[in-house]
Structures are given as structure tokens and as C-alpha cells.
Amino acid sequence: MHPGPLNLITDVPGLKVGNAEDRQLKSGTTVLTADQPFTAGVHVMGGAPGTRETDLLAPDKSVAQIDALVLSGGSAFGLDACSGVVAGLRAAGRGFAVGPARVPIVPGAILFDLLNGGDKDWPDNPYPALGRAAYEAADHQFALGTAGAGTGALAARVKGGLGSASFVLPDGTTVGALVAANPLGSVTTPGDRHFWAAPFEIDGEFGGAGVDPASGFTTPAPSLKLASMQKLAADAAIPAEGSNTTIAIVATDAPLTKSQCQRLAIAAHDGIGRAIVPAHSPGDGDLVFAVSTSDPGAAITDGEHGADLGEIGHAAALCLSRAIARAAALARPEPGDLLPCWQEI
């Protein structure tokens, strides 16, 4: 396997990604869409998710394909970013046809970035406008690090961010990942220089610091994130539940059914566990969407069409680990930050 030409999820043919952010707010939204509806599934492993329209992605539900996926900051307020994307799709004549009406189908997930140093004293919810702007900005190239849904993201010890990576499998199948990394856990080993995902790095894509030569890690370093949030809240109690989350999308051009997309999402969660310690905690809303851009009528049977579902799931997990590390490695320092960037360490 080798990265695609962009090393982004948009190496998967047909996909586009758009970002929109507000630097004063220290938050933003990321939208994944395509020129045609696509098949999707989802799997949640964190204990505190925030979602919209994820039930319809279950294999037994009637909606076969969707028009876009949204990753957003803003906690529950950020779910309204989906409404902005729905408005943009409707204006473009997109959506599920119900007689003369068209209803865009846009599931989404959010992360908590309300205590990150940004100005949250808004008169009106800013996320519908951010969602619309992100949809209208969708293209094959997009920014990583302090961008889109990752604008205000924080990991335990350093700034989080938006990350992406891709693989092309030996038979030509493309797999990619997109992630907004805002975890309770740490993306770096104790000492903060080496990434947990270092064994999977390719061509120095997240700084080339290499694998930590130390071993025997059992106790995470104290969370600078939680301490900073508590200070910002004037030492009021900050519950871990609901104040974190890693939300991601993995995608492939292999033809998959909804049930196979769900299985792909389950496999991809391994990528979170390899790149963040601890992962999938009660205080995280860890969630992975999985997308197939090909006709589900030609869905693969393992071993029948080159890459099987197990191989695609393995590639997706590795892409997600690399994307998480890239999210933190590419984060940029900005005024009012609570945590340092990895680049500053």
C-alpha cells in the first residue's frame, strides 16, 4: 500500500471536502460530499456521542444513500451545521426525491470545543452559516491542522486538529480517512515528542520524529487539556463526560453495501485505539462514519474482487491512525490557545 497523490480522503474518486471556521470563535465545520449520493454506515464506540440522523445509516433502515456528512465543533450547537449543508444541497437541487419535494440526507457528528479560549458569546448560533460555507467550499484540496472542525480541537497534551490520509491498495482500490481529533487521551507518548501512531508514518508525513525508544508505558501523563478547561471555568467542576471526542470518516471506492460500510467503520476504530491513549473512554464520543462511492449493487464478496473487506478495513484503520497524528502535527499556534502545538515542543 502507498498513499494516494494528495494523501487525503479526496484521493477516493468522487469525494470533496470543505472547511469553514471562525478564528475568534475557535471552532469550525468540515463537510464531506460528492457529486452523487453515496452509501454510508456508522459505528459509535465512545461513551458521549453527539449525532444527527445516524439511525438511518443502520443496515435495516430504508434510506440507501446520503448526500453529505458533517463533522463540526460546537457541541450540541454544532449539530445545526447540518442544517446549513441541507440548505446548500437543496439550493443545488440535491436530495431524496419525495414526489416534487427533495430532502437532502445529511448525518453529522460533533465534538466539544466550548471551553478552548474562543469567544462563545454569540447572539445567534453560528453553525448553520459555517455548515453552508463549508459545503460551498468543498473541493479536492483542503486544509489540515487548525482548520474546519479541528479549529478548536485539543488533545490531552497538545492541540488537536483536522487530519486526513489515504492508501492505494495493490489492486488499485483507494481508501482514505478524515478526522477531527479532540480526544480525552493523548496523541503522543509521555514526553510529548513521539506519536503513538509513529509505527505507521510514511515519508515523514507527521514530522518524522519516529517511534519512542522508551517502553513500559502504563500511566498517562496528566491532562493539560482538562487542567486548562478547569482554569477557564474558574475552577468549576468540568466533567470528562461529553467534553471530548474523535469523530472520523473513512471512505473507499470499493463497492460496499450499508452493512459492509458498518463493518468497515467498526474495523476503522482500531485506528483510534492505535493513535490515542486512552481511547473510546466514557468521556469521549468516538464515532466513525464509513463511505463507499461505488454502486452497492456490485458489492464485494471477500476475495472475489481483489481487495476484500478485511484488507480494506485494515487499510482504513491505518489511514485513520496516520490522519490523527497529522491532525496534531499540522496544528498551528493562534492567539488565546490553551495548549501548545506539537510543532512548538
Side-chain angles (χ1 to χ4, degrees), residues 11 152 185 200 235 242 269:
D11 284 323
F200 315 114
D235 294 323
H269 270 283

Side-chain angles (χ1 to χ4, degrees), residues 4 22 47 52 55 76 109 121 129 146 154 175 183 185-187 253 310 321 324:
D22 183 322
R52 167 173 159 154
D55 281 356
D121 190 24
T146 307
L154 305 172
V175 177
S186 179
V187 297
D253 56 355
S321 289
I324 289 167

Side-chain angles (χ1 to χ4, degrees), residues 31-107:
V31 175
L32 180 139
T33 189
D35 292 332
Q36 301 295 328
F38 49 87
T39 307
V42 68
H43 188 67
V44 180
M45 288 190 70
T51 60
R52 167 173 159 154
E53 291 203 309
T54 50
D55 281 356
L56 60 78
L57 298 179
D60 64 323
K61 300 303 186 288
S62 60
V63 171
Q65 295 188 308
I66 65 172
D67 298 292
L69 288 168
V70 173
L71 307 179
S72 184
S75 190
F77 303 101
L79 291 174
D80 274 349
C82 298
S83 298
V85 178
V86 167
L89 286 161
R90 182 177 184 272
R94 295 280 303 276
F96 181 76
V98 184
R102 286 196 171 269
V103 183
I105 308 299
V106 184

Side-chain angles (χ1 to χ4, degrees), residues 203-274:
D203 296 332
E205 63 190 336
F206 42 86
V211 176
D212 195 328
S215 62
F217 300 124
T218 57
T219 304
S223 173
L224 299 178
K225 174 181 181 177
L226 185 57
S228 297
M229 290 170 61
Q230 288 175 331
K231 184 176 181 180
L232 192 66
D235 294 323
I238 303 296
E241 287 77 9
S243 57
N244 311 278
T245 286
T246 296
I247 46 179
I249 304 169
V250 295
T252 182
D253 56 355
L256 303 181
T257 63
K258 284 178 73 178
S259 62
Q260 288 174 322
C261 282
Q262 184 182 54
R263 176 52 54 184
L264 178 59
I266 293 169
H269 270 283
D270 287 354
I272 296 177
R274 294 168 184 160

Side-chain angles (χ1 to χ4, degrees), residues 102-127:
R102 286 196 171 269
V103 183
I105 308 299
V106 184
I110 48 86
L111 56 81
F112 182 92
D113 58 4
L114 299 181
L115 293 173
N116 66 357
D119 180 7
K120 305 302 193 293
D121 190 24
W122 59 71
D124 297 297
N125 189 338
Y127 289 96

